[in-house]
Amino acid sequence: MTDSVNWVMSKSSHVKDNVKSDKGCKTACFVNVNSVNLTVDHPELKVSLNNADRCFADGSGLRLAAKTLGINIKDNVNGTDMLPHLCEAAQAQGISIYLLGAKPGVAIATAKNLRKHYPTLRIAGAEHGYFDRSQDNNVVERINQTNTGVLLLAMGSPVQEKWLQDNASKLTCNTALAVGGLFDFYSGQISRAPMWMRELGLEWIWRLMQEPKSKFKRYVIGNPLFLIRTFVFNCASRGF
Ligand code: UDP
């Protein structure tokens, strides 16, 4: 988590495939079980994730899948846990944050809540994520005019990753981060799972209980499907 936050805050130009580019901002996404499942129906999401400068491993599903490949993921780096660290670092370094996404009013409520905890944090702007794609250039212009350091983009997958793919080269901020439903938590719209559930990797059960209709496919069907896909992938890559 510390390495990831340092990377987000660092002013270095972005590096992709060992090629340094000064065009646009560097981009990062959080990859979890749902994002991997979504790449099956949305192959363009896989392209966007592979094009991001960083993909952070979010959640116990990815940890488990990585383990079957002999990889030990160092830490669970999800947006909800990262935000307090980011705000602390941004406040200490005088770097501003722009909040873009979620339903009207939610980004502003998030900004207000963050200001309560981080009184000198500079929030460069806050706006909702339900705009027509023909407005992309205007949105980019508004963000650029604030000279923000970090953009948090909370429009859900695969919309946010596609938006970054299309617009990152025009953004003048240092880093843009796709953070999914983050503002819904920090605005107080949805409460987070108790710590013991998070520690056991069971936060998804909490989210399912809170939004059973919209999260049923994602968790009840998606989690076993991910495990089956991991098994099939491993068999195929071992030549079975
Ligand atoms: N959203 C948005 N614009 C859109 C579609 C969705 O800003 O065009 C927001 C939505 O209001 C919610 C977030 O994106 O706040 C998606 O949350 P979810 O938990 O589904 O995202 P995930 O964490 O799974 O990527």
Side-chain angles (χ1 to χ4, degrees):
M1 182 62 87
T2 309
D3 292 348
S4 305
V5 172
N6 287 344
W7 179 83
V8 172
M9 287 297 152
S10 73
K11 288 219 165 64
S12 61
S13 55
H14 56 129
V15 177
K16 188 70 197 160
D17 298 332
N18 295 325
V19 179
K20 264 197 169 200
S21 165
D22 290 322
K23 203 163 165 260
C25 64
K26 49 184 188 164
T27 60
C29 301
F30 296 90
V31 178
N32 53 33
V33 165
N34 183 50
S35 356
V36 176
N37 280 337
L38 280 175
T39 60
V40 177
D41 289 332
H42 303 271
E44 74 285 357
L45 174 61
K46 186 174 166 186
V47 176
S48 304
L49 292 173
N50 284 333
N51 279 338
D53 292 290
R54 283 279 191 288
C55 280
F56 301 125
D58 166 5
S60 37
L62 278 218
R63 177 183 294 270
L64 192 76
K67 229 175 203 159
T68 67
L69 294 169
I71 300 164
N72 266 321
I73 292 181
K74 268 163 93 182
D75 205 354
N76 172 9
V77 181
N78 63 75
T80 326
D81 287 335
M82 184 189 270
L83 188 63
H85 298 285
L86 271 188
C87 290
E88 264 164 40
Q91 181 170 253
Q93 295 170 37
I95 293 172
S96 62
I97 293 183
Y98 198 105
L99 310 177
L100 171 64
K103 294 201 177 111
V106 175
I108 291 174
T110 304
K112 282 184 183 154
N113 276 346
L114 291 179
R115 278 217 190 91
K116 279 185 208 152
H117 290 94
Y118 309 96
T120 58
L121 175 66
R122 288 169 50 212
I123 296 179
E127 58 178 300
H128 69 79
Y130 289 84
F131 52 90
D132 195 86
R133 288 294 93 87
S134 63
Q135 295 300 309
D136 281 5
N137 282 344
N138 293 338
V139 174
V140 167
E141 186 65 20
R142 276 201 294 279
I143 298 166
N144 288 348
Q145 272 173 1
T146 65
N147 281 325
T148 191
V150 174
L151 168 67
L152 299 183
L153 181 65
M155 290 161 66
S157 295
V159 178
Q160 57 192 11
E161 289 81 6
K162 175 82 173 81
W163 197 87
L164 275 190
Q165 163 120 346
D166 294 343
N167 294 290
S169 64
K170 297 176 271 174
L171 285 163
T172 55
C173 57
N174 187 39
T175 314
L177 210 51
V179 293
L182 184 74
F183 303 165
D184 296 331
F185 289 113
Y186 279 91
S187 61
Q189 297 256 311
I190 298 178
S191 67
R192 264 204 98 180
M195 190 51 88
W196 67 267
M197 275 185 121
R198 288 189 243 164
E199 279 170 0
L200 290 174
L202 299 176
E203 184 153 24
W204 64 273
I205 294 181
W206 183 262
R207 288 195 76 183
L208 179 64
M209 278 163 28
Q210 293 203 309
E211 302 168 273
K213 268 195 194 147
S214 67
K215 299 293 185 255
F216 182 84
K217 188 172 172 220
R218 179 180 298 194
Y219 295 122
V220 179
I221 298 174
N223 286 354
L225 196 59
F226 176 80
L227 293 178
I228 293 166
R229 284 178 172 146
T230 303
F231 178 74
V232 172
F233 174 84
N234 286 347
C235 288
S237 59
R238 285 171 193 149
F240 294 128

